[in-house]
Amino acid sequence: MTESLFLGIDGGGTKCRARLRDAQGNLLGEGTGGPSNIRLDPDLVWASILTACREALFQAGLQEDRLKQIHAGMGAAGAGQTSAVERLLSRPHPFASIEIDTDAHTAWLGAFKGGDGAILIVGTGSCGYGGVSGQCHYVGGWGYEISDEGSGAAIGRELLRRTIWAHDGRIALTPLSALVLAEFKNDLEVMVDWVGKARPSDYGRYAPLVLQHAEKRDPLGIDIISDAAAGLGRIATRLLDLGAPALCLFGGLAEPLRPWLPPPVQQAIRPPAADALDGAILLARTALPGGQP
Amino acid sequence: MTESLFLGIDGGGTKCRARLRDAQGNLLGEGTGGPSNIRLDPDLVWASILTACREALFQAGLQEDRLKQIHAGMGAAGAGQTSAVERLLSRPHPFASIEIDTDAHTAWLGAFKGGDGAILIVGTGSCGYGGVSGQCHYVGGWGYEISDEGSGAAIGRELLRRTIWAHDGRIALTPLSALVLAEFKNDLEVMVDWVGKARPSDYGRYAPLVLQHAEKRDPLGIDIISDAAAGLGRIATRLLDLGAPALCLFGGLAEPLRPWLPPPVQQAIRPPAADALDGAILLARTALPGGQP
């Protein structure tokens, strides 16, 4: 038994997912492990990867000794940071090979099977990515502070900012801002204390509330979601202008925001051919000598 | 010698300034001390205050034993935070009395001698404040993250954000964005690393550069400064709408931004009657039994 196996890995901050296929592309098994953001301790990340991988092997009815036949591909948030990838790869591993790229790249690989196209990821952060004629481009995705327009974190932060405007009387109070003010006991000091400890994901947890209110025609909700969608529209438009013939959406906020996107962007949206785990498998396959997309 | 003396203190993050006047308002002396942001260690803050105070006493040719005749007033960034004020006041001090309020309040007291009017402070942060018919109002000023529109920090952060847009091709490159990109070696990873360590004052240091380019008609500079001025205009407009008959400007960025403010706001601008140190002296005087503004 020397036939190659292919493992696709999605390395996230809260969990690691893995999928195992044989050389013919048949699904053999799937598994889940612990946190595997590659900025974390490499030993922890490897432990998470191997937990997910062993579960997939077990599902497939395969033994541990098959690890050395596995060619792995991993999409990971933060893999744009070369030092983090090098640190992870400096540890010994049991695989025949492993390739690591960003989660945007593996999502795009899955969505378009390596062909021309663009993706828009909208979750706590946001990022645009596309490949055209073998050239890949990032648009945005450089983090909450100075990028990530239209992300959940940006929506939540804008909610607090404009709730202050309503509190000051710079804009009218609406049900949405009244709700937020009540949550902070109508005391901006309480809000500022919260902000001092808040992470992007804490802001992002307000995004569904803003969306719900926008859908109920709350003027503040409509303003924030419209601005978020306009920011995402500019990211998508740039990718389409670069020559991407179609756009796939990823991330928990992409579908709810979809009706708010500019119509020319909406018209370019297609369902992805496959998901990021299959994109990661494609990453592993194309890295082999003679591999092709 | 039992005549009261009055000390006005401006408690800043990098230094403490103090001014001593007699009961008739004659200037006796001034002094400077170390950091005195009241969120710092109270012993450090008291040491800074007393250094500044002793210098003022020395200039006045007065002895240390006069400390107990001094009624002090202090305007301090962060004095909206009650716990910080209480911590500072929990330490023994040599003064006959001390009153602490926000730096916005003492700036306003100085500018309008306690009468109706509004102030707009624009430095690393921004804040609007006004008093009308004995009622005081804050507009904005809740910090870089969710407030402080038009501040130096907001201008600098927006510069980096839109430089990414130019890098991605979402907007045209201009001399300003080209300069910023070159500073970060045309590598957004380098920019993101910088952002990870940046404080509001680090962003704020870009504000003069943006202003210079706006004045030279750089389109990106014009857009950022116009947006900043619009945000400040909304703060000022709210204060004027609350009934403030005039507006005084404070902070290093207020004057350079003044020509960009909406004309109705510009028309309301007046020079302040006195500065924040005299406002702090007024704070001390009005706190005395029978004191009046």
Side-chain angles (χ1 to χ4, degrees):
Chain A
M1 286 300 293
T2 57
E3 199 207 353
S4 294
L5 297 172
F6 293 94
L7 186 76
I9 304 162
D10 177 42
T14 53
K15 67 177 180 191
C16 176
R17 296 184 308 135
R19 181 180 296 155
L20 189 67
R21 291 191 186 271
D22 65 18
Q24 289 71 48
N26 298 307
L27 179 64
L28 302 180
E30 295 194 336
T32 309
S36 55
N37 181 309
I38 64 163
R39 290 189 183 118
L40 300 172
D41 172 45
D43 295 324
L44 173 74
V45 175
W46 273 114
S48 299
I49 292 171
L50 290 173
T51 300
C53 175
R54 288 192 173 106
E55 187 183 335
L57 278 175
F58 180 81
Q59 271 194 11
L62 298 175
Q63 301 299 314
E64 177 97 6
D65 63 357
R66 305 294 285 273
L67 281 170
K68 60 180 180 295
Q69 286 165 246
I70 289 178
H71 297 280
M74 180 174 182
Q81 205 183 349
T82 319
S83 59
V85 174
E86 283 168 356
R87 202 169 56 229
L88 188 63
L89 293 180
S90 71
R91 295 294 195 282
H93 66 78
F95 298 137
S97 70
I98 182 163
E99 280 293 311
I100 302 177
D101 210 314
T102 62
D103 50 347
H105 187 72
T106 52
W108 167 76
L109 273 175
F112 295 98
K113 300 284 185 183
D116 288 0
I119 64 163
L120 183 61
I121 309 177
V122 196
T124 296
S126 76
C127 182
Y129 186 76
V132 178
S133 311
Q135 278 278 74
C136 289
H137 306 268
Y138 283 94
V139 178
W142 297 96
Y144 162 76
E145 201 68 64
I146 54 165
S147 193
D148 288 18
E149 288 83 10
S151 64
I155 288 170
R157 182 178 51 188
E158 203 59 25
L159 173 64
L160 298 197
R161 176 178 294 278
R162 298 192 194 193
T163 294
I164 294 178
W165 297 358
H167 178 269
D168 289 345
R170 275 178 275 178
I171 58 171
L173 201 68
T174 73
L176 176 57
S177 46
L179 194 73
V180 174
L181 278 176
E183 190 180 317
F184 289 105
K185 301 174 185 169
N186 283 288
D187 184 347
L188 298 188
E189 298 273 347
V190 176
M191 188 187 286
V192 169
D193 283 347
W194 184 91
V195 164
K197 300 178 205 104
R199 297 166 53 93
S201 56
D202 297 319
Y203 288 103
R205 272 192 283 277
Y206 282 103
L209 181 78
V210 182
L211 266 160
Q212 283 158 27
H213 278 78
E215 284 157 9
K216 287 190 288 183
R217 299 190 303 282
D218 180 284
L220 177 60
I222 288 175
D223 282 354
I224 296 173
I225 296 298
S226 299
D227 285 357
L232 293 168
R234 282 188 288 269
I235 295 171
T237 296
R238 175 58 183 155
L239 289 163
L240 298 171
D241 287 352
L242 281 165
L247 180 73
C248 292
L249 302 181
F250 290 89
L253 286 171
E255 275 305 322
L257 283 167
R258 179 180 179 153
W260 299 82
L261 293 173
V265 170
Q266 288 193 50
Q267 283 154 23
I269 297 171
R270 304 280 177 276
D275 66 8
L277 283 176
D278 282 331
I281 286 175
L282 190 56
L283 178 68
R285 294 187 77 106
T286 50
L288 292 183
Q292 69 244 340
Chain B
M1 288 299 293
T2 58
E3 200 207 351
S4 294
L5 297 172
F6 293 94
L7 185 77
I9 304 162
D10 177 41
T14 53
K15 66 178 180 189
C16 176
R17 296 185 307 135
R19 181 180 296 154
L20 190 67
R21 291 191 186 271
D22 65 19
Q24 289 71 48
N26 298 306
L27 179 63
L28 302 179
E30 294 193 335
T32 310
S36 56
N37 181 309
I38 64 163
R39 290 189 183 117
L40 299 172
D41 172 45
D43 295 325
L44 173 74
V45 175
W46 272 114
S48 299
I49 292 171
L50 289 173
T51 299
C53 177
R54 288 193 173 105
E55 188 183 336
L57 279 175
F58 179 80
Q59 271 195 9
L62 298 175
Q63 301 300 314
E64 177 98 8
D65 63 358
R66 305 294 285 274
L67 281 170
K68 60 181 181 294
Q69 285 164 247
I70 289 178
H71 297 280
M74 179 175 182
Q81 204 182 351
T82 319
S83 58
V85 175
E86 284 168 355
R87 200 169 57 230
L88 188 64
L89 293 180
S90 71
R91 293 295 194 282
H93 66 77
F95 299 137
S97 70
I98 182 164
E99 279 293 311
I100 302 176
D101 210 313
T102 62
D103 50 348
H105 187 72
T106 53
W108 167 77
L109 273 175
F112 295 98
K113 300 282 187 184
D116 288 0
I119 63 163
L120 184 61
I121 309 176
V122 196
T124 296
S126 77
C127 182
Y129 185 77
V132 178
S133 311
Q135 278 277 73
C136 289
H137 306 267
Y138 283 94
V139 178
W142 297 96
Y144 162 76
E145 199 69 63
I146 55 165
S147 193
D148 288 20
E149 289 83 10
S151 64
I155 289 170
R157 182 178 49 189
E158 203 60 24
L159 173 63
L160 299 197
R161 176 179 293 281
R162 298 192 195 191
T163 294
I164 294 177
W165 296 358
H167 178 271
D168 289 345
R170 276 179 275 179
I171 58 172
L173 201 69
T174 73
L176 176 57
S177 46
L179 194 73
V180 175
L181 278 176
E183 190 179 316
F184 290 105
K185 301 173 185 171
N186 283 288
D187 185 346
L188 297 188
E189 298 273 346
V190 176
M191 187 187 287
V192 169
D193 283 347
W194 184 91
V195 164
K197 300 178 205 105
R199 297 165 53 92
S201 54
D202 296 319
Y203 288 104
R205 273 192 283 277
Y206 282 103
L209 182 78
V210 182
L211 266 161
Q212 283 158 26
H213 278 78
E215 284 157 10
K216 288 190 287 184
R217 298 191 304 282
D218 180 284
L220 178 61
I222 289 176
D223 282 354
I224 296 172
I225 296 299
S226 299
D227 285 358
L232 293 169
R234 282 188 288 268
I235 294 172
T237 297
R238 175 60 182 154
L239 290 163
L240 298 172
D241 287 351
L242 281 166
L247 180 73
C248 292
L249 302 183
F250 290 89
L253 286 172
E255 276 306 321
L257 283 167
R258 179 179 179 155
W260 298 83
L261 294 173
V265 170
Q266 287 193 49
Q267 283 154 23
I269 297 171
R270 303 281 177 277
D275 67 7
L277 283 176
D278 281 333
I281 287 175
L282 190 56
L283 178 69
R285 293 186 79 105
T286 50
L288 293 183
Q292 71 246 337

